[in-house]
Amino acid sequence: MTTSSNAPTLRSMTGFAAGTGSLEPFRWSWDIRSVNGKGLDLRLRLPDWVDGLEAAVRPLVAAHAKRGNITLSLRVTRDDAVAAVALNVPQMKAVVASMLQIESEAMERGLSLAPSRASDIAQVRGVLEQGMAQDDPAPLKAALLAELPALLTAFDAMRQSEGAALLGVLSSQLETVTALTQEAAALAEARKDDVAEALKRNLARVLDNTDGADPDRVAQELALLAVKADVTEEIDRLHAHVVAAQALLDTAGPVGRKLDFLMQEFNREANTLCSKAQNADLTRVGLELKALIDQMREQVQNVE
């Protein structure tokens, strides 16, 4: 399906559309609905007596979606529900023969039966049959397929509208992630002197209380601790993830899978930031990031 340049760049996997139509003597009603899913799962509930309908409908629906659990239902009814009455001649003859046999047996036994009437025979099950007129389903199939594009267009319109709302929410959340990341960077910069001073005190304490310890070995261990306390790399990655996420939001086409993966990367950096914080304010920012990223991931689950 061609994406219009004016259409939102994001589409939701949630959508619904319905429609009705008629072609004498038939009337029908469509509805199509979808929810999120890891892949594309099409479920078609169509009348099987319209030959070739499902084979024609499935690729048309699939062309309008890349992901989601989609159910398309079609109900077809006839206006002339009461069809012509037909006489089942073999059944009628069998009933008449049985009645003659019964009357003959009754006469031999001295019983007098009331005369049989045609209506008595007609009421016997199977003598008169009501059947649905057999129509050529080809015109009906053509009419249904002609209407389907309008239904799918309405379906797309709802998913695009939902996608526009998702785009607004995710863009706002990314702005907050940027602000929190900048706050974390400022807090990390402000604590550098405190971290360095703490490492010096720890080094002096270890050297004063450890006989025979290798000073180089101790210095290496403390340097490793300093690296583990440095959150510069996590902050840089968070900034990079924001840029990547915004680029995906500006990209036409299905981006839900990529955004979902990116949310995992966001969460990984936020977790590491919290574990390295060693500072109440930095820990607070890390926890706010984690909560916000969880909210973003919930929204991303609906992106196609």
Side-chain angles (χ1 to χ4, degrees):
M1 183 182 66
T2 303
T3 303
S4 169
S5 59
N6 295 324
T9 57
L10 215 63
R11 292 205 309 180
S12 171
M13 283 188 282
T14 302
F16 173 80
T20 60
S22 64
L23 177 69
E24 292 298 336
F26 298 102
R27 295 183 182 275
W28 60 82
S29 60
W30 295 94
D31 74 66
I32 182 171
R33 60 192 70 214
S34 66
V35 295
N36 58 20
K38 293 183 178 180
L40 180 61
D41 181 12
L42 294 180
R43 301 177 184 180
L44 306 182
R45 298 171 180 171
L46 309 174
D48 55 10
W49 52 269
V50 183
D51 294 338
L53 183 60
E54 180 171 346
V57 166
R58 185 173 291 276
L60 294 177
V61 178
H64 283 254
K66 301 302 179 184
R67 295 177 66 203
N69 295 322
I70 300 175
T71 301
L72 174 67
S73 300
L74 171 65
R75 183 172 181 268
V76 180
T77 59
R78 288 181 60 104
D79 288 339
D80 55 345
V82 179
V85 176
L87 176 64
N88 186 333
V89 175
Q91 178 69 0
M92 181 269 294
K93 290 182 177 180
V95 171
V96 169
S98 297
M99 294 180 70
L100 288 173
Q101 184 177 355
I102 293 172
E103 291 178 353
S104 175
E105 182 69 20
M107 290 177 64
E108 289 182 4
R109 295 176 179 269
L111 294 178
S112 177
L113 300 179
S116 299
R117 296 176 297 177
S119 59
D120 296 330
I121 300 173
Q123 290 175 2
V124 176
R125 184 175 181 179
V127 173
L128 294 181
E129 295 180 335
Q130 289 182 334
M132 190 73 76
Q134 297 298 314
D135 297 284
D136 179 5
L140 173 62
K141 175 183 173 184
L144 291 169
L145 293 178
E147 276 200 354
L148 185 58
L151 180 77
L152 295 176
T153 297
F155 178 58
D156 282 341
M158 180 174 180
R159 291 191 300 148
Q160 288 170 355
S161 177
E162 293 286 329
L166 284 173
L167 178 61
V169 171
L170 289 171
S171 296
S172 176
Q173 289 173 329
L174 281 177
E175 291 177 1
T176 306
V177 169
T178 298
L180 288 172
T181 303
Q182 291 172 345
E183 184 180 355
L187 290 170
E189 183 66 28
R191 71 165 195 160
K192 275 187 176 180
D193 292 340
D194 293 338
V195 171
E197 186 61 33
L199 287 172
K200 289 179 182 178
R201 289 197 302 269
N202 290 336
L203 176 59
R205 187 182 307 111
V206 171
L207 292 175
D208 289 343
N209 293 280
T210 305
D211 295 332
D214 183 353
D216 291 338
R217 176 67 177 180
V218 174
Q220 288 175 2
E221 293 296 329
L222 289 174
L224 183 60
L225 290 175
V227 170
K228 289 182 177 180
D230 185 10
V231 296
T232 303
E233 186 175 350
E234 285 69 32
I235 291 172
D236 289 343
R237 286 179 178 171
L238 284 169
H239 280 304
H241 294 339
V242 169
V243 173
Q246 190 59 60
L248 287 174
L249 293 181
D250 294 336
T251 301
V255 295
R257 288 183 182 276
K258 293 180 180 179
L259 280 172
D260 189 38
F261 173 76
L262 199 53
M263 290 304 106
Q264 298 177 39
E265 297 301 307
F266 268 112
N267 192 58
R268 182 177 292 110
E269 302 307 329
N271 281 333
T272 307
L273 179 65
C274 288
S275 67
K276 288 185 174 183
Q278 300 179 12
N279 175 280
D281 289 334
L282 194 54
T283 298
R284 172 186 57 78
V285 172
L287 292 175
E288 288 183 20
L289 276 169
K290 280 175 57 65
L292 181 58
I293 291 164
D294 283 343
Q295 294 172 9
M296 290 176 65
R297 191 169 186 180
E298 289 180 3
Q299 299 294 335
V300 165
Q301 297 305 309
N302 290 319
V303 177
E304 184 180 44

